[in-house]
Amino acid sequence: MILYLTNVINFFPEVLENLITGMLAAAISEQRIDLKHLKQKLLKSVIHKFSVGKPSNSEDIMFSPCVMNAAGLIYLSYAQRDLTQKTFDTTKELFNNALTYKNQITQNIHLGCIYKNLAQLYETALKLDLGQYWLLFKEAITNYRTAQKYLDHYNCPYDFALISFKLSQLYFRYWKFSNDIQALRDAVFFLREAEKTYTQISFPELWSKIEGYLGFYLSLLGLFSKSDDISMLAIQSYKNKQQVYRRELYPIMWAKIQENIANVYYNIGKNNNDKNAFSEAMDYYQSALKVYENKKMQNEIIIVNNSIDKVMKAWRG
């Protein structure tokens, strides 16, 4: 089907032909291994045509913000595998040019999508290590938050929630990069925003993923702020995740979560010399150990036994 369409669209004007070809190629799923080379070949061809073609004047169709946004998406799709500084600069210029003509955009959703795409470009640059980390973090976060002003919670709830999830990941990475505790708080805040839309009933797998991240982020926040209340919120989030990953269906995942809960109780006990917390930690480690022993997972058995020894030493000390 893709090959057929790419053969018949040469009846369109050249700019539209490039756009249609590029959008078709960008739409090819990364899971289609058999079409991976075709996708990259088509994208590379389209990008070359865009790079050698120059619009003649400001009335040219290429100066339409929607067209420049579409062209930017084509570059962005190609950049997921091969982002160079040149491709980054070209894609950024396309999105920024689209924003220059934003007075032509009559619907907030279109403007929000441009800001979201620009943020995604900066996020991709972070993943592929183009340097200038502070600037990339700042621009990715700023553009995602700007996008949320146009793709708001009431009119575009799923876009808003997805951006919130992306922001939580960015803030967490920024925290690891900077040790700024406020960034960790922001990561938790935006996960809570995503949690409002991606509920357990409608999106059980994604909801459980969010709960897992919440458990991890809150456990770190509780540890560094020495707050038992925050640590208990982490435990509750981990237990929420177990509502999807139940022991009878996913014993190994359930046991991993039991370990995580035990780790939180251990940190509570260590911070306060709380023997009740140490006791809880022991119980959760023991329940995880039973699963690993049943599954004959030797590496996990060693790790949990070491954790149990650690709790016993702290308890006695």
Side-chain angles (χ1 to χ4, degrees), residues 34-51:
D34 56 321
L35 296 178
K36 179 177 67 174
H37 296 298
L38 173 62
K39 176 175 181 173
Q40 289 301 98
K41 180 180 178 181
L42 289 172
L43 288 172
K44 188 173 183 179
S45 173
V46 169
I47 289 171
H48 174 72
K49 290 177 183 177
F50 274 131
S51 64

Side-chain angles (χ1 to χ4, degrees), residues 2 238 264:
I2 295 289
Y238 280 134
V264 179

Side-chain angles (χ1 to χ4, degrees), residues 185-223:
R185 294 190 186 99
D186 288 333
V188 171
F189 170 80
F190 280 103
L191 274 179
R192 290 296 193 196
E193 289 295 298
E195 185 186 35
K196 293 175 183 176
T197 299
Y198 295 127
T199 61
Q200 181 182 7
I201 294 175
S202 300
F203 302 91
E205 289 188 9
L206 183 52
W207 177 80
S208 68
K209 185 176 183 179
I210 290 171
E211 295 304 312
Y213 279 124
L214 273 172
F216 182 47
Y217 295 177
L218 286 166
S219 67
L220 291 171
L221 193 56
L223 176 64

